[in-house]
Amino acid sequence: MPTTSAIPGTGADTGAGASVGSGPRRGIELLRNGLGLIGPRHGRHGLSVQHLDALALPIGDDGVVAGVDAEGQPAVLGINRPTPYDVVLIGGLWTAQVLALRSAATGARVAVETGRPQAWMQMVHAMGGGQNGLSVYDVGRVPPQGASAGTPVLVVRDCGMRPPRGRVVSGPWQSVLTLLPYLSPVAPRLLRQARLAGIQRVSPDEAVELGRTMGLTRAEVESLPSLPDGVTLWCTDRDRQYVLTQPTDPEAGLLGAPRRMD
């Protein structure tokens, strides 16, 4: 591998090094130019371009495991982000609750804004009465969450077909997941604002409308009315992925089997 040229701006490529001299004066000049402490001299380590792939580290995506993809590999949603992140899920309560549980398991605090608090109370009790990362609030009553890199927040908005504009919105380290049971008149606006959208089984008419709104392919549109329980088509601007969410034993004991309808 060829050696690199001298670092610009250090004087090494201008001939200035010749006037530095040796001994203490040379060491002081090197420190002043930002080359650090003088250490032992070692030979250079070279690596050919053909061997660069060997440096790859087997590190997967960081986030919440939403399920498995068509190849059986884990599908991860990167919900905890330093930038605002909005997610829309047109689907069932079961999937939203599984994502909330798994987000809390990653260390995020989950704030649920809902008009049906009784549907969430079993989760609150199972997680220690709201002391272990999940709190439930009435619609429009979610207080500021104080999200930070150390305590990221997921706000789940389970507010029916026409959710009002939320008081608590997405921000740094605070993502918002809005659950819509069906395609409603407000869905196009929410989908345009969302960075990620999940679609579960819908009617043929809803599938056609979603195809126009989101630019889905004909095959994707035709698949939506027949998606099995637990399967979600997750969509970004560039990618589409079918994901099967399978509950763990504790999740199945708490929430039951996957289902589209509640």
CSV table of all heavy atoms in Angstrom, one decimal, residues 91-140:
chain,number,residue,atom,x,y,z
A,91,GLY,N,-53.5,0.0,11.8
A,91,GLY,CA,-53.5,-1.4,12.2
A,91,GLY,C,-54.2,-1.6,13.6
A,91,GLY,O,-55.0,-0.8,14.0
A,92,GLY,N,-53.8,-2.7,14.2
A,92,GLY,CA,-54.5,-3.1,15.5
A,92,GLY,C,-53.8,-2.6,16.7
A,92,GLY,O,-52.5,-2.4,16.7
A,93,LEU,N,-54.5,-2.6,17.8
A,93,LEU,CA,-54.0,-2.2,19.1
A,93,LEU,C,-52.9,-3.1,19.6
A,93,LEU,O,-51.9,-2.7,20.2
A,93,LEU,CB,-55.1,-2.1,20.1
A,93,LEU,CG,-54.7,-1.8,21.6
A,93,LEU,CD1,-54.1,-0.4,21.7
A,93,LEU,CD2,-55.9,-2.0,22.5
A,94,TRP,N,-53.1,-4.4,19.2
A,94,TRP,CA,-52.1,-5.4,19.7
A,94,TRP,C,-50.7,-5.1,19.3
A,94,TRP,O,-49.8,-5.2,20.1
A,94,TRP,CB,-52.5,-6.8,19.1
A,94,TRP,CG,-51.7,-7.9,19.6
A,94,TRP,CD1,-51.9,-8.7,20.7
A,94,TRP,CD2,-50.5,-8.5,19.0
A,94,TRP,NE1,-50.9,-9.7,20.9
A,94,TRP,CE2,-50.0,-9.5,19.8
A,94,TRP,CE3,-49.8,-8.1,17.9
A,94,TRP,CZ2,-48.9,-10.2,19.5
A,94,TRP,CZ3,-48.6,-8.8,17.6
A,94,TRP,CH2,-48.2,-9.9,18.4
A,95,THR,N,-50.5,-4.7,18.0
A,95,THR,CA,-49.2,-4.4,17.5
A,95,THR,C,-48.6,-3.2,18.2
A,95,THR,O,-47.4,-3.2,18.5
A,95,THR,CB,-49.2,-4.2,16.0
A,95,THR,OG1,-49.7,-5.4,15.3
A,95,THR,CG2,-47.8,-3.9,15.4
A,96,ALA,N,-49.4,-2.2,18.3
A,96,ALA,CA,-49.0,-1.0,19.0
A,96,ALA,C,-48.5,-1.3,20.4
A,96,ALA,O,-47.5,-0.7,20.9
A,96,ALA,CB,-50.1,0.1,19.0
A,97,GLN,N,-49.2,-2.1,21.1
A,97,GLN,CA,-48.9,-2.5,22.5
A,97,GLN,C,-47.6,-3.3,22.6
A,97,GLN,O,-46.7,-3.1,23.5
A,97,GLN,CB,-50.0,-3.2,23.2
A,97,GLN,CG,-51.2,-2.3,23.4
A,97,GLN,CD,-52.3,-3.1,24.1
A,97,GLN,OE1,-52.6,-4.2,24.0
A,97,GLN,NE2,-53.1,-2.3,25.0
A,98,VAL,N,-47.4,-4.2,21.6
A,98,VAL,CA,-46.1,-4.9,21.6
A,98,VAL,C,-44.9,-4.0,21.3
A,98,VAL,O,-43.9,-4.1,22.0
A,98,VAL,CB,-46.2,-6.0,20.5
A,98,VAL,CG1,-44.8,-6.6,20.2
A,98,VAL,CG2,-47.1,-7.1,20.9
A,99,LEU,N,-45.1,-3.0,20.4
A,99,LEU,CA,-44.0,-2.1,20.2
A,99,LEU,C,-43.8,-1.2,21.4
A,99,LEU,O,-42.6,-0.9,21.7
A,99,LEU,CB,-44.4,-1.2,19.0
A,99,LEU,CG,-44.4,-1.9,17.6
A,99,LEU,CD1,-44.9,-0.9,16.5
A,99,LEU,CD2,-43.1,-2.5,17.3
A,100,ALA,N,-44.8,-0.9,22.1
A,100,ALA,CA,-44.7,-0.1,23.4
A,100,ALA,C,-43.9,-0.9,24.4
A,100,ALA,O,-43.0,-0.4,25.1
A,100,ALA,CB,-46.0,0.3,23.9
A,101,LEU,N,-44.2,-2.2,24.6
A,101,LEU,CA,-43.5,-3.0,25.5
A,101,LEU,C,-42.1,-3.1,25.2
A,101,LEU,O,-41.2,-3.0,26.1
A,101,LEU,CB,-44.2,-4.4,25.6
A,101,LEU,CG,-45.4,-4.6,26.4
A,101,LEU,CD1,-46.0,-6.0,26.2
A,101,LEU,CD2,-45.1,-4.3,27.9
A,102,ARG,N,-41.8,-3.4,23.9
A,102,ARG,CA,-40.4,-3.6,23.5
A,102,ARG,C,-39.6,-2.3,23.6
A,102,ARG,O,-38.4,-2.3,23.8
A,102,ARG,CB,-40.4,-4.2,22.1
A,102,ARG,CG,-41.0,-5.6,22.1
A,102,ARG,CD,-41.0,-6.2,20.7
A,102,ARG,NE,-41.6,-7.5,20.8
A,102,ARG,CZ,-41.7,-8.4,19.7
A,102,ARG,NH1,-41.2,-8.0,18.5
A,102,ARG,NH2,-42.3,-9.5,19.8
A,103,SER,N,-40.3,-1.1,23.3
A,103,SER,CA,-39.6,0.1,23.5
A,103,SER,C,-39.2,0.4,24.9
A,103,SER,O,-38.1,0.8,25.2
A,103,SER,CB,-40.5,1.3,23.0
A,103,SER,OG,-40.7,1.2,21.6
A,104,ALA,N,-40.1,0.1,25.9
A,104,ALA,CA,-39.8,0.2,27.3
A,104,ALA,C,-38.7,-0.7,27.7
A,104,ALA,O,-37.8,-0.4,28.5
A,104,ALA,CB,-41.1,-0.1,28.1
A,105,ALA,N,-38.6,-1.9,27.1
A,105,ALA,CA,-37.5,-2.9,27.4
A,105,ALA,C,-36.2,-2.4,27.0
A,105,ALA,O,-35.2,-2.8,27.5
A,105,ALA,CB,-37.8,-4.2,26.8
A,106,THR,N,-36.1,-1.5,26.0
A,106,THR,CA,-34.9,-0.9,25.5
A,106,THR,C,-34.4,0.3,26.4
A,106,THR,O,-33.3,0.8,26.2
A,106,THR,CB,-34.9,-0.4,24.1
A,106,THR,OG1,-35.8,0.7,24.0
A,106,THR,CG2,-35.4,-1.5,23.1
A,107,GLY,N,-35.2,0.7,27.4
A,107,GLY,CA,-34.9,1.8,28.2
A,107,GLY,C,-35.6,3.0,28.0
A,107,GLY,O,-35.4,4.1,28.7
A,108,ALA,N,-36.5,3.1,27.0
A,108,ALA,CA,-37.3,4.3,26.7
A,108,ALA,C,-38.5,4.4,27.6
A,108,ALA,O,-39.0,3.4,28.1
A,108,ALA,CB,-37.8,4.2,25.2
A,109,ARG,N,-38.9,5.6,27.9
A,109,ARG,CA,-40.1,5.8,28.6
A,109,ARG,C,-41.2,5.9,27.6
A,109,ARG,O,-41.1,6.6,26.6
A,109,ARG,CB,-40.0,7.1,29.5
A,109,ARG,CG,-39.1,7.0,30.7
A,109,ARG,CD,-39.2,8.1,31.6
A,109,ARG,NE,-38.6,9.3,31.1
A,109,ARG,CZ,-39.3,10.4,30.6
A,109,ARG,NH1,-40.6,10.4,30.7
A,109,ARG,NH2,-38.7,11.4,30.1
A,110,VAL,N,-42.4,5.3,27.9
A,110,VAL,CA,-43.5,5.3,27.0
A,110,VAL,C,-44.6,6.0,27.6
A,110,VAL,O,-45.1,5.7,28.7
A,110,VAL,CB,-43.9,3.8,26.6
A,110,VAL,CG1,-45.1,3.8,25.7
A,110,VAL,CG2,-42.7,3.1,26.0
A,111,ALA,N,-45.1,7.0,26.9
A,111,ALA,CA,-46.3,7.8,27.3
A,111,ALA,C,-47.5,7.5,26.4
A,111,ALA,O,-47.3,7.8,25.2
A,111,ALA,CB,-46.0,9.3,27.4
A,112,VAL,N,-48.5,7.0,26.9
A,112,VAL,CA,-49.7,6.6,26.0
A,112,VAL,C,-50.8,7.6,26.2
A,112,VAL,O,-51.3,7.8,27.3
A,112,VAL,CB,-50.2,5.2,26.4
A,112,VAL,CG1,-51.4,4.8,25.5
A,112,VAL,CG2,-49.1,4.1,26.2
A,113,GLU,N,-51.2,8.2,25.1
A,113,GLU,CA,-52.3,9.1,25.1
A,113,GLU,C,-53.5,8.4,24.4
A,113,GLU,O,-53.4,8.0,23.3
A,113,GLU,CB,-52.0,10.4,24.2
A,113,GLU,CG,-53.1,11.4,24.1
A,113,GLU,CD,-52.7,12.6,23.2
A,113,GLU,OE1,-51.7,12.5,22.6
A,113,GLU,OE2,-53.5,13.6,23.2
A,114,THR,N,-54.5,8.2,25.2
A,114,THR,CA,-55.6,7.3,24.7
A,114,THR,C,-57.0,7.7,25.3
A,114,THR,O,-57.1,8.2,26.4
A,114,THR,CB,-55.3,5.8,25.1
A,114,THR,OG1,-56.3,5.0,24.6
A,114,THR,CG2,-55.2,5.7,26.6
A,115,GLY,N,-58.0,7.4,24.5
A,115,GLY,CA,-59.4,7.5,24.9
A,115,GLY,C,-59.9,6.2,25.4
A,115,GLY,O,-61.1,6.2,25.8
A,116,ARG,N,-59.1,5.2,25.5
A,116,ARG,CA,-59.6,3.9,26.1
A,116,ARG,C,-58.5,3.4,27.1
A,116,ARG,O,-57.8,2.4,26.8
A,116,ARG,CB,-59.8,2.9,25.0
A,116,ARG,CG,-58.8,2.8,23.9
A,116,ARG,CD,-59.1,1.7,22.9
A,116,ARG,NE,-58.1,1.8,21.8
A,116,ARG,CZ,-58.1,0.9,20.8
A,116,ARG,NH1,-59.0,-0.1,20.7
A,116,ARG,NH2,-57.2,1.0,19.8
A,117,PRO,N,-58.4,4.1,28.2
A,117,PRO,CA,-57.3,3.7,29.1
A,117,PRO,C,-57.4,2.3,29.7
A,117,PRO,O,-56.4,1.7,30.0
A,117,PRO,CB,-57.4,4.8,30.2
A,117,PRO,CG,-58.8,5.3,30.1
A,117,PRO,CD,-59.1,5.2,28.7
A,118,GLN,N,-58.7,1.8,29.7
A,118,GLN,CA,-58.8,0.4,30.3
A,118,GLN,C,-58.1,-0.6,29.4
A,118,GLN,O,-57.7,-1.6,29.9
A,118,GLN,CB,-60.3,0.1,30.4
A,118,GLN,CG,-61.0,-0.1,29.0
A,118,GLN,CD,-61.4,1.2,28.3
A,118,GLN,OE1,-61.2,2.3,28.9
A,118,GLN,NE2,-61.9,1.1,27.1
A,119,ALA,N,-57.9,-0.3,28.1
A,119,ALA,CA,-57.2,-1.2,27.2
A,119,ALA,C,-55.7,-1.3,27.5
A,119,ALA,O,-55.1,-2.3,27.1
A,119,ALA,CB,-57.5,-0.9,25.8
A,120,TRP,N,-55.2,-0.3,28.2
A,120,TRP,CA,-53.8,-0.2,28.5
A,120,TRP,C,-53.4,-0.5,29.9
A,120,TRP,O,-52.3,-0.7,30.3
A,120,TRP,CB,-53.2,1.2,28.1
A,120,TRP,CG,-53.2,1.4,26.7
A,120,TRP,CD1,-54.3,1.9,25.9
A,120,TRP,CD2,-52.2,1.3,25.8
A,120,TRP,NE1,-53.9,2.1,24.6
A,120,TRP,CE2,-52.6,1.7,24.5
A,120,TRP,CE3,-50.8,0.8,25.9
A,120,TRP,CZ2,-51.8,1.6,23.4
A,120,TRP,CZ3,-50.0,0.7,24.8
A,120,TRP,CH2,-50.5,1.1,23.5
A,121,MET,N,-54.4,-0.6,30.8
A,121,MET,CA,-54.2,-0.7,32.2
A,121,MET,C,-53.5,-2.0,32.6
A,121,MET,O,-52.7,-2.1,33.5
A,121,MET,CB,-55.4,-0.5,33.0
A,121,MET,CG,-56.0,0.9,33.0
A,121,MET,SD,-54.7,2.2,33.2
A,121,MET,CE,-54.2,1.8,34.9
A,122,GLN,N,-53.8,-3.1,31.9
A,122,GLN,CA,-53.2,-4.4,32.2
A,122,GLN,C,-51.7,-4.3,32.0
A,122,GLN,O,-50.9,-4.9,32.7
A,122,GLN,CB,-53.7,-5.5,31.3
A,122,GLN,CG,-53.6,-5.3,29.8
A,122,GLN,CD,-54.1,-6.5,29.0
A,122,GLN,OE1,-54.3,-7.6,29.6
A,122,GLN,NE2,-54.3,-6.3,27.7
A,123,MET,N,-51.2,-3.5,31.0
A,123,MET,CA,-49.8,-3.3,30.8
A,123,MET,C,-49.2,-2.5,31.9
A,123,MET,O,-48.1,-2.8,32.3
A,123,MET,CB,-49.6,-2.7,29.4
A,123,MET,CG,-49.8,-3.5,28.2
A,123,MET,SD,-49.5,-2.7,26.6
A,123,MET,CE,-47.9,-2.1,26.8
A,124,VAL,N,-49.9,-1.5,32.3
A,124,VAL,CA,-49.4,-0.6,33.4
A,124,VAL,C,-49.2,-1.4,34.6
A,124,VAL,O,-48.2,-1.3,35.3
A,124,VAL,CB,-50.4,0.6,33.6
A,124,VAL,CG1,-50.0,1.4,34.9
A,124,VAL,CG2,-50.5,1.5,32.4
A,125,HIS,N,-50.2,-2.3,35.0
A,125,HIS,CA,-50.1,-3.1,36.2
A,125,HIS,C,-49.0,-4.1,36.1
A,125,HIS,O,-48.2,-4.3,37.0
A,125,HIS,CB,-51.4,-3.8,36.5
A,125,HIS,CG,-52.5,-2.9,36.8
A,125,HIS,ND1,-52.4,-1.8,37.6
A,125,HIS,CD2,-53.9,-2.9,36.4
A,125,HIS,CE1,-53.6,-1.1,37.7
A,125,HIS,NE2,-54.5,-1.8,37.0
A,126,ALA,N,-48.8,-4.7,34.9
A,126,ALA,CA,-47.8,-5.7,34.7
A,126,ALA,C,-46.4,-5.1,34.8
A,126,ALA,O,-45.4,-5.8,35.1
A,126,ALA,CB,-48.0,-6.4,33.3
A,127,MET,N,-46.3,-3.8,34.5
A,127,MET,CA,-45.0,-3.1,34.5
A,127,MET,C,-44.7,-2.3,35.8
A,127,MET,O,-43.9,-1.5,35.8
A,127,MET,CB,-44.8,-2.2,33.3
A,127,MET,CG,-44.9,-3.0,32.0
A,127,MET,SD,-44.7,-1.9,30.5
A,127,MET,CE,-43.1,-1.2,30.8
A,128,GLY,N,-45.5,-2.6,36.8
A,128,GLY,CA,-45.3,-2.0,38.1
A,128,GLY,C,-46.0,-0.7,38.4
A,128,GLY,O,-45.5,0.1,39.1
A,129,GLY,N,-47.2,-0.6,37.8
A,129,GLY,CA,-48.0,0.6,38.2
A,129,GLY,C,-47.5,1.9,37.6
A,129,GLY,O,-47.7,2.9,38.2
A,130,GLY,N,-46.9,1.8,36.4
A,130,GLY,CA,-46.4,3.0,35.8
A,130,GLY,C,-45.1,3.5,36.3
A,130,GLY,O,-44.6,4.5,35.8
A,131,GLN,N,-44.4,2.8,37.2
A,131,GLN,CA,-43.1,3.2,37.7
A,131,GLN,C,-42.0,2.6,36.9
A,131,GLN,O,-40.8,2.9,37.1
A,131,GLN,CB,-43.0,2.7,39.1
A,131,GLN,CG,-44.0,3.2,40.1
A,131,GLN,CD,-44.0,4.7,40.1
A,131,GLN,OE1,-43.0,5.3,40.3
A,131,GLN,NE2,-45.2,5.3,40.0
A,132,ASN,N,-42.2,1.8,35.9
A,132,ASN,CA,-41.2,1.2,35.1
A,132,ASN,C,-41.2,1.5,33.6
A,132,ASN,O,-41.0,0.7,32.8
A,132,ASN,CB,-41.2,-0.4,35.3
A,132,ASN,CG,-40.9,-0.8,36.7
A,132,ASN,OD1,-39.9,-0.2,37.3
A,132,ASN,ND2,-41.6,-1.7,37.2
A,133,GLY,N,-41.6,2.7,33.3
A,133,GLY,CA,-41.4,3.2,32.0
A,133,GLY,C,-42.7,3.4,31.1
A,133,GLY,O,-42.6,3.8,30.0
A,134,LEU,N,-43.9,3.1,31.7
A,134,LEU,CA,-45.1,3.3,30.9
A,134,LEU,C,-46.1,4.0,31.7
A,134,LEU,O,-46.5,3.6,32.8
A,134,LEU,CB,-45.6,1.9,30.4
A,134,LEU,CG,-46.7,1.9,29.4
A,134,LEU,CD1,-46.6,0.7,28.4
A,134,LEU,CD2,-48.1,1.9,30.0
A,135,SER,N,-46.7,5.1,31.1
A,135,SER,CA,-47.7,5.9,31.8
A,135,SER,C,-48.8,6.1,30.8
A,135,SER,O,-48.6,6.2,29.6
A,135,SER,CB,-47.1,7.2,32.2
A,135,SER,OG,-46.0,7.0,33.1
A,136,VAL,N,-50.0,6.2,31.3
A,136,VAL,CA,-51.2,6.4,30.4
A,136,VAL,C,-51.9,7.7,30.8
A,136,VAL,O,-52.1,8.0,32.0
A,136,VAL,CB,-52.2,5.2,30.6
A,136,VAL,CG1,-53.5,5.5,29.9
A,136,VAL,CG2,-51.6,3.9,30.2
A,137,TYR,N,-52.3,8.5,29.8
A,137,TYR,CA,-52.9,9.8,30.0
A,137,TYR,C,-54.1,9.9,29.1
A,137,TYR,O,-54.3,9.2,28.0
A,137,TYR,CB,-51.9,10.9,29.6
A,137,TYR,CG,-50.6,10.9,30.3
A,137,TYR,CD1,-49.5,10.2,29.8
A,137,TYR,CD2,-50.5,11.5,31.5
A,137,TYR,CE1,-48.3,10.2,30.4
A,137,TYR,CE2,-49.2,11.5,32.2
A,137,TYR,CZ,-48.2,10.8,31.6
A,137,TYR,OH,-47.0,10.8,32.3
A,138,ASP,N,-55.1,10.7,29.5
A,138,ASP,CA,-56.2,11.0,28.7
A,138,ASP,C,-55.8,11.8,27.5
A,138,ASP,O,-54.8,12.5,27.5
A,138,ASP,CB,-57.3,11.8,29.5
A,138,ASP,CG,-57.9,11.0,30.6
A,138,ASP,OD1,-58.0,9.7,30.5
A,138,ASP,OD2,-58.3,11.5,31.7
A,139,VAL,N,-56.7,11.9,26.5
A,139,VAL,CA,-56.4,12.6,25.3
A,139,VAL,C,-56.2,14.1,25.6
A,139,VAL,O,-57.0,14.7,26.3
A,139,VAL,CB,-57.5,12.4,24.2
A,139,VAL,CG1,-57.3,13.3,23.0
A,139,VAL,CG2,-57.7,10.9,23.9
A,140,GLY,N,-55.1,14.6,25.1
A,140,GLY,CA,-54.8,16.1,25.3
A,140,GLY,C,-54.2,16.4,26.7
A,140,GLY,O,-54.0,17.5,27.0
